[in-house]
Amino acid sequence: MKHPIQRRDDSRRTSLATSISTILTGGALLLVGAMASSSAFAQEQATNLDRITVTGSNIPRTNTETPSPVQVVTRQEIDRTGKTTVAEYLQTLTADGSGSIPKTFGNGFAGGGAGISLRGLGAGSTLVLLNGRRMATYGLADDGQKVFTDLSTIPLDAVERIEVLKDGASAIYGSDAIAGVVNIILRSDFNGAILRASYGLSGDSDGDAKKATLTAGTGDLATDGWNAFFSLDVGKTDAIKISDRKDRKWIGTGDIRRYGYGNNAQFLGGAALSGGTRGGVGPTGSVFDDRNVTPDDPAFLVALPGCAGLTTIPGQNDVTAQQQGCLWDPNQLYRDLTPEEKYVNVFGRASFAFGEGGEIYTEIGYSKKETTFSNTPSGVSGGWGYPGGPVNANSGDGATVLGPTHPDNPIPGQASRLRYSAWDVGPRVTNNTNEFNRFLVGVKGNWGEWSYDTAYLHSGTDLVNKRTGFLRYSAVQCALGNPACPGGVWRIGDNAGQNSQALYDYISPDISARAKSSLDMFDFTVSRSLADLKGGPLGLALGTEWRKTSNSLTPQTYTDQGDIIGLGYSAYDGTQNVYAGYVELSAPVLEQLELSGAVRYDKYESGEGKATPKVGIKWTPADWIAVRGSYAEGFRAPNPAENGDGGLAAFSNAADPVRCPGGNPAPGATDDDCGALPVAIITRPNQDLKPEESKSYSVGLVLQPTSSTSMTVDAWQIKRTNEIAQGSTAEAIAAGNVLRDNNLLNGVPGTGSILAVNTQYINAASTRVRGIDTDIRQTFDIGPGQLEMDLQWSHVLKFERTDADVTVDYAGTHGNCDVTNCIGTPKDRINFGTTWKQGPWSVSGVANYISKMENTDFRGPDGSYQFAYADGTDVTKISSFTTFDLSGRWNITEAFELNASVQNLFDRIAPLDPTTYGGVNYNPLHFSGAIGRYFTVGAKYTFE
């Protein structure tokens, strides 16, 4: 393997280069907090003309510095962070952004999976490759829409390096490569055996992570004519509950009133809001008193007794419950901070030599992962959707009520609308078991002047999603409203102890869904040198590809009838056949000038076809400096979740311009009605969707004035048009495509609280993302040791979205909340790493910085703050966050190594974020600040 620095001959360096070397060598230490770079230039000089293939090209070359920016991540860079999975590491890259899918979001649509979102354009626009070829996508689409590759199926110990291509690559790899490509390159051969084991534990003595890996191989391709090896990776990680962090300020509680927030905080349960005309769900239950209702005197909540015995929040009793609701903290009682995981990953490869440079190879991969996530109990009311439309269990004819004769109804003779959290049923628990398989067989070699590589690939996933603790709507209506209900009468609150197990089995049956995905692919690529140009050989590559993908998801039991309270409907089924042909040229026309170009045509069985070109240029006026640039077009065809059979009903946060126009409560409303509040989003597929299209640009400067100093700066822009997305939530609300509650403001029709919003997938928007990536690397020889320093910095200049001729910029704000987890768009992410090596020892430290975000939905005077304190003052920002990770290694002998790491060494607490719904009061980008300090110790033994 070539280490990525192309070292130059010092004797050829000009005096200008020497001056720049002096500036950079001294200045790197002073300016290191303000710069970062791509690691593709931090490479050692190849000592021969061995040709290698770099991600983003099918043409072998003698160096890794292409016209496109490629970040090469070595095993050392991964190991020094203490991360134990591929997904955990990749989500620390500065180029990752909103739309990435953390494994900790266990209650999301794609719970149990983990995906990366380059440039914040979504996991569905980032192509993930394994050894340069695709994998089957995860069985569950994120947000019910975005099909992505699950990173957690890849055994980390088999990884040799990771190459991240940071511009569009549809001309090389086809659809899904709009934002870039992550190519995870595993070992190609191995001889011997390595046994690793590690144990991790948080500073709070929980979240135990046990992991063991065995990699073993035999045979030598050069001498024996064959090689075979496998890597087995097994592990188990215990869950961490919110209650395990109850002393970690706002991380361990949903009750953030002590920090200046009001009763409308999204994770505080039981509150009666808007003067008691609407409210959350509490442990005692509350009903609306509908007697003598007038426009000026609407129905108000009446709490049931027993609050003091059922809540964990001090000071709550029946008197305060009538005033503000029975406040409680269900997240602290029931919700996991991180899920429990059990997994086994296997990768095997065998290769057999034949003829002059020929090789037959095969790869086999298998992964099985089980994830269990516990969430808060279900409420008995709310708004959700299914293919037949929205369901309103809050008000109207479909309201969940206590019957007139129900023994817990405090208003005799009246069918009373009910708000209640089914704590007696228990938490909602989601269990995902996902099996992944991959089989590849191929042959490569030389035929005359041509080199060829062809292979057949089959990959698939089979996921079973099981859920307990959810409530069946029709059974709940019966058990609460019908005294002759066959399942029995459900006693609630203080009287829940009188219920039988048979009643709970009736109202809360086990439910499940099954998701499958498959990929079959055949590809054939040939390459050769056509002629010798002044700068080197003119390279040509030709190729063809066929692939068939399928994705299907059966809906959760009863959700196709809208009969599971609060659970969004998601289902899809579809198959795509794609035929493609491509050609690529690499032309070093001069020693200082390289041109490259590629074009690919993809034809879909549905009739859609698209040609996507890419061109690049690299100019090297001197051996220590290069200027590079690229232009690429891309596209992404609609996936089965977007234009197939099925639909989606999900939840998000949205502001209500009727009850809170311009950020101020309307007459009759209160501050509780302002800010981004939870609503159901019902989205229909659209068979008339067109493919997304993109144009990407990059221009960069590469400097290496000395053999130990390198720096790259790349400016980039991606514009995506015909975006496939849910119709704008704000526009749907403004157009009246909503389901509202009946808590009207002063009796005015159409002013009730929003329960659900109706949309469909549309090609309605375009996005333009623009930024700068900087990478600096410096090595110092100090005495008997060596100090290595590197810094990566991604700065977002613009993140503009245009919808219906209205353009907003999300850069530096908490928007776009239509994207996964509502994590926002910080302008800056910086990673600064140092490693000291001396003999058998090495010590590494990595600082990770994420800049602050304005707590607005977008930039500019029309942007609105997303949340307010109890006194009405806006929450104006989410603070920046910095953590430091420390690791060390000691090679006791040539065969035996000990290692240890501490993540979040200084135990920094994640800033309080009241808006995101991916974590309780913290932003998923700041996850390490929720967990706290985390220790890992490990050992490695290499057998001869």
Side-chain angles (χ1 to χ4, degrees), residues 17-32:
T18 305
S19 300
I20 292 181
S21 167
T22 303
I23 295 171
L24 285 178
T25 303
L29 292 175
L30 297 176
L31 301 177
V32 74

Side-chain angles (χ1 to χ4, degrees), residues 256-613:
I256 53 176
R257 292 175 298 164
R258 74 192 77 170
Y259 306 107
Y261 292 83
N263 291 349
N264 64 331
Q266 65 170 318
F267 296 109
L268 176 64
L273 305 171
S274 301
T277 61
R278 67 181 180 92
V281 292
T284 63
S286 56
V287 298
F288 282 94
D289 186 348
D290 291 331
R291 296 173 295 183
N292 303 318
V293 170
T294 67
D296 295 328
D297 189 13
F300 59 90
L301 285 166
V302 177
L304 275 65
C307 185
L310 295 175
T311 181
T312 57
I313 296 178
Q316 301 298 300
N317 54 51
D318 289 345
V319 175
T320 61
Q322 296 301 340
Q323 297 170 346
Q324 61 180 7
C326 183
L327 303 181
W328 73 317
D329 198 344
N331 287 278
Q332 188 179 85
L333 291 171
Y334 300 99
R335 181 164 168 162
D336 287 340
L337 185 64
T338 63
E340 178 187 77
E341 285 187 334
K342 303 174 185 176
Y343 62 88
V344 55
N345 294 326
V346 183
F347 175 78
R349 192 178 195 276
S351 52
F352 306 89
F354 71 91
E356 293 295 327
E359 180 183 338
I360 298 172
Y361 58 93
T362 183
E363 297 175 359
I364 298 176
Y366 174 79
S367 172
K368 184 175 183 179
K369 179 182 176 183
E370 182 178 355
T371 305
T372 303
F373 185 86
S374 177
N375 202 3
T376 55
S378 174
V380 300
S381 54
W384 63 95
Y386 75 112
V391 178
N392 182 5
N394 271 345
S395 58
D397 295 338
T400 300
V401 299
L402 286 180
T405 61
H406 192 286
D408 296 321
N409 190 344
I411 309 176
Q414 171 184 293
S416 302
R417 292 184 289 132
L418 177 67
R419 302 290 183 269
Y420 177 60
S421 178
W423 62 270
D424 50 317
V425 174
R428 290 169 291 177
V429 178
T430 300
N431 177 278
N432 284 331
T433 301
N434 183 48
E435 291 189 81
F436 167 84
N437 63 77
R438 182 177 183 270
F439 170 75
L440 172 75
V441 60
V443 58
K444 61 183 178 181
N446 302 308
W447 183 26
E449 297 295 322
W450 293 90
S451 296
Y452 64 87
D453 190 353
T454 182
Y456 167 74
L457 168 69
H458 172 78
S459 182
T461 63
D462 188 352
L463 184 145
V464 177
N465 175 282
K466 297 180 180 179
R467 304 190 185 218
T468 60
F470 288 79
L471 298 178
R472 188 174 181 185
Y473 178 43
S474 58
V476 167
Q477 286 184 306
C478 178
L480 292 174
N482 182 1
C485 180
V489 175
W490 183 12
R491 302 299 301 274
I492 64 173
D494 215 19
N495 296 311
Q498 302 178 33
N499 296 317
S500 67
Q501 185 60 47
L503 175 113
Y504 290 128
D505 293 341
Y506 174 71
I507 62 175
S508 180
D510 293 350
I511 59 176
S512 64
R514 189 167 189 174
K516 291 186 176 183
S517 70
S518 68
L519 167 66
D520 288 277
M521 187 175 82
F522 173 80
D523 62 58
F524 182 75
T525 302
V526 294
S527 63
R528 63 164 295 172
S529 298
L530 295 178
D532 286 329
L533 304 179
K534 290 186 177 181
L538 172 63
L540 169 70
L542 301 169
T544 185
E545 177 184 303
W546 164 82
R547 71 178 185 270
K548 179 182 179 181
T549 60
S550 66
N551 295 84
S552 66
L553 171 65
T554 62
Q556 285 282 341
T557 315
Y558 304 122
T559 59
D560 56 340
Q561 307 164 32
D563 206 22
I564 297 296
I565 293 175
L567 183 58
Y569 171 85
S570 181
Y572 41 83
D573 188 12
T575 300
Q576 290 178 335
N577 277 282
V578 187
Y579 307 87
Y582 50 89
V583 59
E584 181 186 358
L585 282 171
S586 175
V589 293
L590 301 171
E591 288 187 11
Q592 297 84 15
L593 182 64
E594 176 186 349
L595 304 177
S596 65
V599 64
R600 177 185 178 110
Y601 184 80
D602 289 86
K603 179 69 173 179
Y604 281 74
E605 191 177 40
S606 61
E608 296 172 343
K610 179 68 176 177
T612 49

Side-chain angles (χ1 to χ4, degrees), residues 10 143 152 165 229 319 469 480 511 577 614 684 724 791 794 804 811 825:
D10 288 359
D143 283 347
S152 60
L165 176 66
F229 76 95
V319 175
L480 292 174
I511 59 176
N577 277 282
K614 180 174 183 176
R684 303 181 304 278
I724 301 171
L791 185 146
S794 291
T825 310

